[in-house]
Amino acid sequence: MVKDYCSKHYGEDLSLDEISDYVNMSKNYFCNYFKKNTGENFVQYLRKLRIEIAMRKLREGNEKIGDVAQEVGYRNVSHFSKVFKEETGMNPAEYRSRKY
């Protein structure tokens, strides 16, 4: 249920409070439940989801990197680039320039 919600709302400002309210759990219970059932915490999951979607957009489209960052929920392009590099080992421009 949470993963489905995130796949539809990944570009929005999603918070633990919002998600735990959505599933009618306390924030602490939700965090423990999510980690136990997925092996990662919610913030890690959302971060990976956003970066995976950004990777697809960068491979398949010609949108500006800043526009991709906004679409996947990052309001600050520098922060997006930092997170992208941490997850993929390269910045968004390097990733886009690779041939897939």
Side-chain angles (χ1 to χ4, degrees), residues 77-90:
V77 179
S78 296
H79 181 65
F80 168 71
S81 294
K82 178 182 177 224
V83 170
F84 192 94
K85 186 164 188 167
E86 288 172 359
E87 290 292 326
T88 66
M90 61 190 92

Side-chain angles (χ1 to χ4, degrees), residues 21-34:
D21 286 346
Y22 176 72
V23 295
N24 201 27
M25 294 179 184
S26 73
K27 189 165 59 171
N28 286 339
Y29 184 81
F30 168 73
C31 288
N32 290 332
Y33 180 85
F34 192 86

Side-chain angles (χ1 to χ4, degrees), residues 5-55:
Y5 185 84
C6 289
S7 70
K8 293 176 181 169
H9 299 275
Y10 61 85
E12 300 171 16
D13 290 330
L14 296 177
S15 68
L16 281 172
D17 289 327
E18 178 183 347
I19 296 297
S20 60
D21 286 346
Y22 176 72
V23 295
N24 201 27
M25 294 179 184
S26 73
K27 189 165 59 171
N28 286 339
Y29 184 81
F30 168 73
C31 288
N32 290 332
Y33 180 85
F34 192 86
K35 176 125 182 164
K36 180 181 175 187
N37 287 283
T38 66
E40 60 190 346
N41 71 42
F42 175 73
V43 173
Q44 291 169 325
Y45 170 77
L46 183 59
R47 176 179 161 147
K48 286 181 181 178
L49 174 67
R50 287 175 166 167
I51 296 303
E52 287 172 9
I53 293 168
M55 290 167 67

